[in-house]
Amino acid sequence: WGGAMGPAQFIPSTWMGYRKKVTAITGKDTANPWDIRDAFVAAAVLEKLKELEQEQLEKELKEGYQARREEDAEINKEWEKATLEKWPL
């Protein structure tokens, strides 16, 4: 196989990754990239997975940012305490 296939223009290696998912959704024996229904079910699955990956990335970035802020706040408290203990008031 070479080049993009079917109406949704899947590269063969990409299609192979979605073929089983499409088969499970449509209930057909074998999904076909040249069948317009199969092609666009695969395209919808691809888009949904991208959306879920983006949501997961955003969630992890927010969690990481929050954890870093909490860690920084704790380090700042420790530094201030250590610094103030050494300075005569």
Side-chain angles (χ1 to χ4, degrees):
W1 291 349
M5 305 181 308
Q9 293 292 284
F10 274 91
I11 298 297
S13 58
T14 304
W15 175 258
M16 295 307 288
Y18 290 92
R19 183 180 58 160
K20 288 182 182 178
K21 291 176 183 70
V22 173
T23 299
I25 291 168
T26 62
K28 293 171 66 176
D29 290 334
T30 304
N32 179 350
W34 298 100
D35 180 311
I36 194 165
R37 293 166 296 222
D38 292 351
F40 285 102
V41 166
V45 169
L46 174 65
E47 288 303 312
K48 186 61 178 176
L49 290 175
K50 284 181 185 178
E51 179 184 319
L52 292 173
E53 287 173 1
Q54 184 64 34
E55 288 173 3
Q56 182 65 29
L57 175 62
E58 288 174 9
K59 178 182 176 222
E60 290 174 7
L61 286 172
K62 287 177 186 176
E63 289 172 355
Y65 176 74
Q66 183 62 34
R68 185 62 191 198
R69 287 188 64 198
E70 291 168 4
E71 182 180 321
D72 287 348
E74 187 61 35
I75 290 170
N76 287 339
K77 284 180 190 176
E78 291 173 14
W79 183 84
E80 287 173 5
K81 181 181 176 189
T83 303
L84 292 175
E85 286 175 354
K86 293 179 184 177
W87 288 4
L89 293 177

